[in-house]
Amino acid sequence: MSADSKTVLLLISLAVTASGLVLLAATALLGLFRRPRKTFAGIMTTAVSAVIAFAAALLLRGAAANFAVMAADAALKSGGSSFTVAELAESGPTLVSLVRSFAGAAAAPAIFVTVFVLIKLLFCAFNPLIAKVFPKDSPSGAAGRLTGLGVGIVNGIAILVMLFMPLGGTVSLAEKLAESPETASFIESAGEYAGFDGELPPGALSKNPVLLSTRKLGGEAIFYSLTKVRFGDEKRPVDEVIESLAAPAATALELARAADNGTAALLSSSGLVRSFVSDLEVNPDIPDILSELLSSAGRAWAAGNDFLGTAPPQTDGSGIIEALLKVLSEITSKTLTNDLGCAADLMEILDRSGLITGGEDGSLSFNRETLSEPGFISDILCKISEVPNMQPVADSLTEAAIGALADAVGLNGDEKEDLLDRISVELAEMTPEKAEQIEKMIVSAMKVSDSVDGKSPSDILTGLDTDALKDMLDAADGSGIIDGGTDRLLEVIVNSEKIKDSGIIDEKTAEKIANGGSSEVVNTVAAAQKSAAIVKELSEGQPDSKSVEEKLEWLSENLDKDTVDTLKEQLTEEKLTSIGIPPQQAPGLQKLINNILSELSAAEGNGVDMSKETAALTTLYSLAIGTGATSGQEISGNLFGSEPGKTDAGTLVSSVMSSQVISVALVKTVYETETPQIDPIECGIKLSESDRNALTNALNASLKEGMSLTGNEAELYKKKIVSIAAMFGEAGTVGADWTFKG
């Protein structure tokens, strides 16, 4: 408490003491020198005035409360406030009713004193007449004077009790509130928040002898009788009501201070919300007030409007903030505790994960990558599954991911809306297993979205994350949250603008989707993507051998004849050209790819070593197809070599001959007819003399290694050697006299 405040209270205390002594002395002297029956009349009128004043205070406190509310409304309007009492009454009628009751309680002591003084003065004018009520044989002489003195003192004390009742009662209330840790903490917080000194108790007035006496002689009893506040279904002493409201009010102030620092700061205040929930559990009458305010705030903010002068929270584009506002708008007094408890859990998860962060300018950012963290989404779904009001939050999580996917693949507004309308995450039916499936679907949808968003058609053809697409569809099927199932989800995606433009889906594949063949279609799409991706990696040079090997392994395990037939129709010359293959090479390369796919489909279960296939494919492609030579021009320098960055001819030949899939596919490409086709992919390579000699020597060395073969094996072995030479336009170097034993 400041020195100025202490001085003011000390002066008030001195004035109270002085006025009390003067009044007591005056009534004592009047009693001493007046006739006893007049003194008796005085104390009787004091008592009657007090009874009338008490009744009037109880009757008029309602009107006084209304007047105070009207005055407050006028003050708000004149002060340029952004809200009015009428708006508050509409948003929180229970709160306004409580405020009116507090206003009436505050006015009642003042009404009591005012009416008491007026009635007492009125009685004073008729005191001679009232005195006649008492018998004439009242004590006289010295006994009469002493009796008058005693009655005068009692009358003076009674008047002092009535006059100082408001001040004494207020001091008593302040002392009680100061003894309550919750109330003292609230007043201190309120002082800090609003910029005033909220220290209690009121200094010298607590020890004032006049106030202490009048309080004990009935002043406190009258004060607390007049200042009862209707809280819930009953009237309760004002100090009890304030103490009940103090803890949640202090927490609300802390939350308001957090909100002033932005939505991100508010999300980090889950501990305050938990404290709020604890306060509500021991104050059963508060939920009515709070639920009205929160639901009104939620409706206003969801509509983009201010609520009682407070602007709507910033949004982050994810839909989660909007979902929380919807939850807020549907809160009732019965659901309040559960809703807030769940909201605290959700706030803690969001704050810990960094899903929503705030910038220095108060803006919010939605870190979508956080959704991919293992257990994040399933944790949220399990946390909120027991609170039906949290349904909008569950919907927002799925819609954020699927909506981003819809935007990425180029769905128009109606198509996107239709897809989102088909998603239904029923919290009432949530289980940990289902939550995991939904998480898998959302995370996979984000991966698919990332592989498409902002990409060109050719990039989508080679880069579409088909593994994630399959996982998304499997999870959607397992969770059962999409009306129409995986077929509908896949149909919407593949018929989108960007997927169509990429050419990864043809009409035949689209028909299969319409007929309910989503699993088969995903397999075909994945095969097309992985095939195109291999070609692109090879064409760009320095391919990742591990990546190529994984794709070949997948193809060997998942291709069947129907899929291969579909891919042969899909991987057109035009698509190969779109991913960087020179136009003159596209026809021949298309044949080689088709042959490789056919051989891969037949390779499953045959113990094919995909690392050898990868080595054969990457080596052959980099030396023959990817040399960048133009037709008819001799390669500058040597193509083969043992120095760093080059591959010798022996490595090329041995890698191709060691393969099962690539070598046979190469033979089928070169021997499309009985006569081997020289340079079937039109690589246009013209070897230097040294390269020609190196290749011939390597082929002859490999030929000798196969001299022990017979029959069809010998014939195939020779065709493989001829095919390697043909890729470099050198089939003529393999003489017709190359024969095999037997």
Side-chain angles (χ1 to χ4, degrees), residues 292-310:
E292 290 175 354
L293 291 175
L294 290 178
S295 59
S296 297
R299 288 192 296 272
W301 288 337
N305 301 321
D306 288 359
F307 174 70
L308 301 181
T310 303

Side-chain angles (χ1 to χ4, degrees), residues 384-690:
I384 66 178
S385 62
E386 297 179 1
V387 184
N389 275 11
M390 288 291 167
Q391 183 67 53
V393 177
D395 293 337
S396 71
L397 287 172
T398 51
E399 290 180 6
I402 301 299
L405 174 60
D407 292 335
V409 299
L411 291 182
N412 63 40
D414 293 339
E415 292 170 336
K416 177 181 176 181
E417 193 67 30
D418 177 68
L419 178 58
L420 294 180
D421 287 344
R422 290 175 177 272
I423 299 174
S424 177
V425 182
E426 294 295 338
L427 284 180
E429 302 173 2
M430 189 60 59
T431 63
E433 294 75 19
K434 187 172 183 178
E436 289 178 3
Q437 288 293 316
I438 294 173
E439 176 179 291
K440 181 180 177 183
M441 188 196 78
I442 291 175
V443 171
S444 300
M446 291 171 55
K447 290 180 179 178
V448 175
S449 174
D450 290 340
S451 70
V452 174
D453 192 25
K455 306 294 176 62
S456 66
S458 62
D459 287 337
I460 294 174
L461 174 62
T462 58
L464 176 66
D465 193 336
T466 52
D467 292 335
L469 178 62
K470 186 177 186 304
D471 288 342
M472 179 185 74
L473 295 172
D474 289 344
D477 185 49
S479 63
I481 67 171
I482 297 183
D483 181 22
T486 55
D487 290 334
R488 176 54 184 162
L489 178 58
L490 182 60
E491 183 179 4
V492 170
I493 293 172
V494 300
N495 285 321
S496 64
E497 180 182 351
K498 287 191 175 181
I499 299 298
K500 277 185 175 180
D501 289 347
S502 73
I504 202 168
I505 299 290
D506 60 4
E507 292 183 4
K508 184 178 179 181
T509 307
E511 287 178 8
K512 288 183 179 180
I513 298 172
N515 294 327
S518 59
S519 59
E520 181 183 350
V521 166
V522 173
N523 206 51
T524 303
V525 171
Q529 182 274 322
K530 293 181 188 300
S531 301
I534 290 174
V535 174
K536 185 175 182 180
E537 284 189 51
L538 293 172
S539 67
E540 291 177 346
Q542 298 181 338
D544 182 348
S545 296
K546 185 65 176 176
S547 173
V548 173
E549 182 179 338
E550 288 175 352
K551 292 180 175 67
L552 289 175
E553 187 75 46
W554 188 95
L555 289 168
S556 71
E557 294 174 354
N558 292 277
L559 287 177
D560 55 31
K561 185 178 182 305
D562 289 341
T563 305
V564 171
D565 291 341
T566 302
L567 289 178
K568 288 179 180 179
E569 296 177 10
Q570 282 188 261
L571 294 174
T572 63
E573 297 174 19
E574 182 181 1
K575 289 180 184 175
L576 292 175
T577 303
S578 72
I579 59 176
I581 302 301
Q584 75 275 11
Q585 292 184 0
L589 185 58
Q590 182 190 28
K591 294 175 184 178
L592 177 60
I593 292 171
N594 289 341
N595 288 326
I596 291 174
L597 292 174
S598 296
E599 292 304 310
L600 282 172
S601 69
E604 184 181 8
N606 293 335
V608 176
D609 186 343
M610 286 302 161
S611 64
K612 291 183 177 180
E613 303 302 324
T614 301
L617 180 60
T618 55
T619 304
L620 180 65
Y621 197 104
S622 63
L623 291 174
I625 305 171
T627 57
T630 52
S631 181
Q633 291 185 351
E634 186 172 323
I635 297 173
S636 176
N638 292 327
L639 179 62
F640 305 116
S642 58
E643 59 269 30
K646 291 196 174 186
T647 303
D648 61 66
T651 300
L652 164 68
V653 174
S654 64
S655 66
V656 175
M657 296 302 290
S658 298
S659 70
Q660 296 180 49
V661 172
I662 301 302
S663 60
V664 173
L666 180 60
V667 168
K668 288 184 176 181
T669 305
V670 172
Y671 283 88
E672 190 175 14
T673 63
E674 292 184 3
T675 304
Q677 182 181 353
I678 307 301
D679 193 10
I681 304 181
E682 297 189 27
C683 301
I685 297 176
K686 188 175 181 181
L687 295 177
S688 65
E689 184 176 353
S690 62

Side-chain angles (χ1 to χ4, degrees), residues 87-409:
E87 292 174 10
L88 181 60
E90 183 179 350
S91 303
T94 304
L95 175 62
V96 172
S97 176
L98 179 63
V99 171
R100 288 179 186 276
S101 190
F102 266 113
I111 295 173
F112 176 91
V113 170
T114 302
V115 174
F116 173 79
V117 170
L118 291 175
I119 298 298
K120 181 64 179 172
L121 291 175
L122 184 63
F123 275 139
C124 285
F126 297 96
N127 200 57
L129 295 176
I130 297 172
K132 293 180 179 180
V133 174
F134 296 93
K136 294 181 179 180
D137 57 349
S138 299
S140 57
R145 290 184 180 278
L146 289 174
T147 301
L149 176 63
V151 172
I153 291 174
V154 171
N155 188 33
I157 291 173
I159 293 173
L160 285 176
V161 168
M162 305 309 155
L163 293 179
F164 290 135
M165 177 271 296
L167 182 58
T170 302
V171 172
S172 170
L173 177 61
E175 289 174 347
K176 286 187 176 184
L177 297 182
E179 292 172 0
S180 167
E182 293 84 1
T183 308
S185 175
F186 164 69
I187 293 175
E188 183 178 352
S189 297
E192 292 176 0
Y193 188 72
F196 65 84
D197 186 356
E199 187 179 347
L200 290 172
L205 292 177
S206 296
K207 300 176 182 179
N208 184 276
V210 175
L211 290 182
L212 284 172
S213 300
T214 57
R215 285 164 55 184
K216 292 179 179 179
L217 292 172
E220 278 189 11
I222 297 172
F223 177 84
Y224 286 113
S225 296
L226 288 174
T227 56
K228 285 186 176 181
V229 174
R230 181 167 293 283
F231 191 43
D233 297 327
E234 61 180 349
K235 282 190 173 184
R236 295 164 56 183
V238 65
D239 58 311
E240 291 183 12
V241 176
I242 293 175
E243 287 176 11
S244 296
L245 293 172
T251 305
L253 275 177
E254 292 300 317
L255 285 170
R257 295 171 76 172
D260 287 344
N261 294 323
T263 307
L266 185 60
L267 286 176
S268 65
S269 305
S270 59
L272 291 175
V273 177
R274 293 189 200 285
S275 298
F276 210 43
V277 173
S278 299
D279 296 335
L280 295 179
E281 290 174 347
V282 296
N283 294 282
D285 296 310
I286 296 177
D288 287 336
I289 298 171
L290 193 59
S291 60
E292 290 175 354
L293 291 175
L294 290 178
S295 59
S296 297
R299 288 192 296 272
W301 288 337
N305 301 321
D306 288 359
F307 174 70
L308 301 181
T310 303
Q314 308 104 317
T315 57
D316 59 351
S318 68
I320 294 178
I321 300 298
E322 291 86 341
L324 287 173
L325 291 180
K326 188 173 182 181
V327 171
L328 206 63
S329 68
E330 296 175 354
I331 280 180
T332 66
S333 58
K334 293 181 179 179
T335 67
L336 180 65
T337 301
N338 282 341
D339 288 346
L340 289 181
C342 186
D345 290 338
L346 187 58
M347 289 167 64
E348 184 177 352
I349 294 172
L350 293 176
D351 181 53
R352 185 176 65 243
S353 68
L355 179 67
I356 299 173
T357 56
E360 294 181 359
D361 59 352
S363 61
L364 291 184
S365 299
F366 173 56
N367 303 319
R368 196 163 61 92
E369 295 76 12
T370 301
L371 292 176
S372 302
E373 293 183 4
F376 175 72
I377 294 172
S378 57
D379 190 17
I380 287 181
L381 292 176
C382 289
K383 287 281 187 186
I384 66 178
S385 62
E386 297 179 1
V387 184
N389 275 11
M390 288 291 167
Q391 183 67 53
V393 177
D395 293 337
S396 71
L397 287 172
T398 51
E399 290 180 6
I402 301 299
L405 174 60
D407 292 335
V409 299

Side-chain angles (χ1 to χ4, degrees), residues 48-61 108 111-112 115 226:
V48 172
S49 298
V51 171
I52 294 174
F54 189 88
L58 293 178
L59 289 173
L60 297 176
R61 58 175 280 172
I111 295 173
F112 176 91
V115 174
L226 288 174

